Amino acid sequence: MESWYRIQSGLIAAVICIALAVSVLLRRRGHVLFRRFAWFNLNLAAWFLVDALTLSEVLSLRMGLSARAMVASLLPATCIGFFVGFAAEVTRLTKTVRRFAVVLSLLLLTSVVVGWPVSPDWQQWAIFGGLMTSLLLALGQMSFRLRNLESRVDRTRLKYVIVAGLIVFA
């Protein structure tokens, strides 16, 4: 019975993420932050959808783990891309962090496609390590940005995003 709740919550989360992404993309805003938010939400929607399909046994366990690994390998690039864009300051550090996230995502995706490491457990740990590294980079970068903000409203908004990020990914 527990998996049924996980299937339903995964599907609901996927629908919400898709709705947010489509809503943002259909608006005629050319701002980079909105596009990055939409890509991040589409990546999360894919994660929730693959999880629900694997739990409902529509996808075999092996296929589900592979699909989940591919989707998870793209999360560092979309996550860091959004959070760096949210910081709204383009510096050498933010460019380096974003490039690192893209390279990390490409390395993780390549390792999943090639099938390295051979053990699925080690592959899951490598992806987990990549996700945690990208999350810590994103939160660390926003914390550095928080120190330099002069606007009280922007500081409060960024604090909420940092705390929400810590709670969600804890």
Side-chain angles (χ1 to χ4, degrees):
M1 188 60 112
E2 180 184 323
S3 66
W4 179 245
Y5 294 128
R6 282 186 57 197
I7 293 168
Q8 285 182 336
S9 61
L11 290 174
I12 290 170
V15 167
I16 290 170
C17 288
I18 290 170
L20 284 170
V22 168
S23 172
V24 168
L25 288 174
L26 288 179
R27 295 180 186 168
R28 295 189 180 197
R29 295 182 181 169
H31 200 271
V32 175
L33 179 61
F34 296 116
R35 283 195 311 269
R36 289 180 182 176
F37 177 74
W39 284 115
F40 183 49
N41 270 293
L42 288 173
N43 197 194
L44 289 175
W47 170 267
F48 291 127
L49 196 58
V50 166
D51 191 43
L53 291 174
T54 303
L55 288 172
S56 64
E57 298 177 357
V58 171
L59 295 176
S60 68
L61 183 61
R62 183 177 166 96
M63 177 71 82
L65 287 175
S66 296
R68 191 182 297 165
M70 285 185 192
V71 170
S73 66
L74 298 174
L75 275 170
T78 58
C79 172
I80 295 263
F82 169 65
F83 285 123
V84 165
F86 194 84
E89 184 177 284
V90 179
T91 63
R92 201 171 110 207
L93 176 66
T94 58
K95 287 181 183 180
T96 304
V97 167
R98 187 148 190 277
R99 285 183 191 133
F100 174 77
V102 169
V103 168
L104 180 63
S105 283
L106 289 174
L107 286 173
L108 289 173
L109 185 61
T110 303
S111 74
V112 169
V113 171
V114 171
W116 183 88
V118 178
S119 168
D121 292 337
W122 282 104
Q123 191 178 54
Q124 297 296 322
W125 278 108
I127 291 171
F128 177 76
L131 290 174
M132 287 299 106
T133 301
S134 66
L135 174 68
L136 291 174
L137 275 173
L139 293 175
Q141 194 273 332
M142 285 192 300
S143 297
F144 285 131
R145 173 74 174 126
L146 184 65
R147 290 188 227 165
N148 299 330
L149 283 176
E150 294 177 13
S151 169
R152 187 173 155 211
V153 173
D154 287 341
R155 286 179 63 86
T156 304
R157 180 179 63 151
L158 197 54
K159 281 181 187 177
Y160 284 132
V161 170
I162 292 170
V163 168
L166 285 171
I167 290 171
V168 167
F169 292 108

